Amino acid sequence: MKLTLTYALFVVVAGAFSLVMVYLAMRFVPNYPLGDVNPQAAAVATRPDTLQALVKASGVTLLLLALIGLGAGWLIAGRVLRPLQDITRAARRAAGGSLDHRIGLTGPRDEFTELSDTFDDMLARLQRSFDAQQRFAANASHELRTPLAVSRTMLDVAVADPDGQDYHRLVSRLRETNQRGIDITDALLQLSALDNTPPAMERLDLADIARGAVDTVREEAGTRGIALFADTRPAPVTGNGVLLRQLVLNLLHNAVRHNQPMGGSLSLTTGPDPARPGRTLLTVTNTGPSVSDTVDRLTEPFLRGSGRLAEKDPTRRGHGLGLAIVSSIVRAHHAELALAPNPGGGLTVRVALSGAR
């Protein structure tokens, strides 16, 4: 209605302006009777008569223009706003919880098609985020419930047969199970803190952090028979030292624990990014089983290399949060994370950070 009235008002004002200009021009008509070439004919009209007739005709014309403006404005406004109505209906469906609807507006590229495409992209991102949140809630509940269920089972068995228990072993297993629940909770709290609190930044050398992390995991890698290679060239960055150390440790632990049982290899490199000057590149490559089917979702919480199931080997068992924490640290540093499966198995992880400023 507002657009219709605007169109009609514009048409009436433009018409009124044109008629006023004609009226003003007619005032310069000579003020003498207009007659026929036949001298015996009566006078037709004087200038006041002409102006009076023009005013009457102008009134009728403005009325017609107003009616035409209202009708045409209503049709034009409806046609122009029809895509907006489609977007509104999609927004209402999204507000009601349905995120699988897409507008898919066709036609020439204009503001409405751009708005439609942007809205569809937003719905797609919201749907992916909502699905990931649902999976996270379900998996977190399962992961947190598992240690509690195991503890309860062990306690029930001890209550049912108190004389036949090795209480030293029972307490040790309960402590181990309880510690697993604490570790999962701490990791979840760390994820939450990374996504909500910006870290303090400083200038540092990522190579020094990487060398310290390599020394930390070298013994575990040797125990598993994994050859560890490190090429730590200077890599000045601006970041948080504690978080970057956690990032490198998580990548190394992931590369060690999801490697081949024996005879595998692991390499870490740091240095300038050859493709983009001013950027620093950290690369961790390991051998191991193929992960091509799950590589796109490895940064999701609780997703392990073998899927959602924990490893049977307790020394290889993780919480499925290592790469999720890495992804959060990367986002906190406004860096880039790329995961690529190796042709022969295993994974290559690249983290590109901004150079020191």
Side-chain angles (χ1 to χ4, degrees):
M1 181 59 68
K2 289 180 180 179
L3 285 176
T4 299
L5 294 177
T6 301
Y7 295 149
L9 181 61
F10 176 79
V11 171
V12 171
V13 170
F17 177 78
S18 301
L19 293 174
V20 167
M21 296 303 295
V22 172
Y23 180 83
L24 293 176
M26 290 298 296
R27 291 182 64 86
F28 293 97
V29 174
N31 189 17
Y32 52 79
L34 301 177
D36 193 83
V37 292
N38 185 0
Q40 296 181 353
V44 176
T46 61
R47 184 175 67 182
D49 296 333
T50 303
L51 292 177
Q52 185 178 4
L54 180 61
V55 170
K56 292 180 180 179
S58 298
V60 175
T61 302
L62 288 177
L63 179 61
L64 292 176
L65 286 175
L67 295 177
I68 293 173
L70 288 172
W74 183 266
L75 295 176
I76 295 173
R79 182 177 181 82
V80 169
L81 294 179
R82 189 174 299 117
L84 192 58
Q85 294 171 352
D86 296 337
I87 296 173
T88 301
R89 283 193 291 268
R92 286 174 179 164
R93 291 185 60 176
S98 176
L99 301 176
D100 57 350
H101 176 67
R102 300 293 181 269
I103 302 171
L105 193 64
T106 58
R109 299 300 302 175
D110 55 18
E111 288 80 358
F112 284 113
T113 52
E114 290 181 2
L115 177 61
S116 171
D117 293 344
T118 303
F119 192 83
D120 285 345
D121 291 341
M122 182 191 70
L123 286 180
R125 293 179 61 185
L126 284 175
Q127 186 174 20
R128 289 194 297 268
S129 176
F130 185 72
D131 292 343
Q133 185 181 24
Q134 284 187 320
R135 290 195 299 269
F136 175 82
N139 294 321
S141 300
H142 172 75
E143 292 287 338
L144 291 173
R145 183 180 182 276
T146 299
L148 297 176
V150 171
S151 298
R152 179 176 177 177
T153 300
M154 289 189 290
L155 291 173
D156 288 344
V157 171
V159 170
D161 184 16
D163 297 330
Q165 299 298 318
D166 182 350
Y167 285 98
H168 179 74
R169 182 169 179 269
L170 175 63
V171 170
S172 177
R173 292 180 62 190
L174 284 173
R175 180 180 177 83
E176 178 184 345
T177 304
N178 182 261
Q179 184 61 45
R180 178 172 175 81
I182 292 174
D183 291 342
I184 294 174
T185 304
D186 288 341
L188 291 175
L189 290 174
Q190 186 177 7
L191 273 177
S192 176
L194 286 171
D195 290 335
N196 294 282
T197 304
M201 301 291 188
E202 60 180 339
R203 297 184 60 177
L204 44 85
D205 191 350
L206 186 60
D208 295 335
I209 297 175
R211 282 191 288 269
V214 168
D215 292 338
T216 301
V217 302
R218 191 179 298 277
E219 182 179 354
E220 181 180 357
T223 302
R224 298 175 184 274
I226 298 172
L228 197 158
F229 306 95
D231 179 12
T232 53
R233 289 175 290 170
V237 296
T238 300
N240 184 280
V242 175
L243 293 182
L244 289 179
R245 183 177 187 276
Q246 184 69 47
L247 179 146
V248 180
L249 278 174
N250 282 12
L251 291 179
L252 291 176
H253 281 306
N254 184 77
V256 168
R257 294 169 185 174
H258 296 282
N259 212 306
Q260 295 177 0
M262 292 296 293
S265 64
L266 162 63
S267 65
L268 177 146
T269 62
T270 62
D273 188 345
R276 288 176 296 179
R279 304 278 287 182
T280 296
L281 188 63
L282 166 71
T283 304
V284 177
T285 303
N286 65 278
T287 56
S290 175
V291 292
S292 57
D293 295 336
T294 59
V295 67
D296 294 333
R297 298 190 296 124
L298 283 177
T299 56
E300 288 187 16
F302 306 111
L303 183 68
R304 303 169 177 88
S306 57
R308 297 291 177 187
L309 299 177
E311 293 281 354
K312 296 181 179 179
D313 183 358
T315 63
R316 296 169 57 89
R317 185 181 303 161
H319 307 307
L321 292 170
L323 288 179
I325 293 175
V326 167
S327 179
S328 294
I329 295 174
V330 167
R331 286 197 303 270
H333 284 79
H334 304 288
E336 298 176 8
L337 175 66
L339 286 75
N342 299 324
L347 189 69
T348 295
V349 182
R350 293 181 178 88
V351 179
L353 299 107
S354 299
R357 295 186 297 271

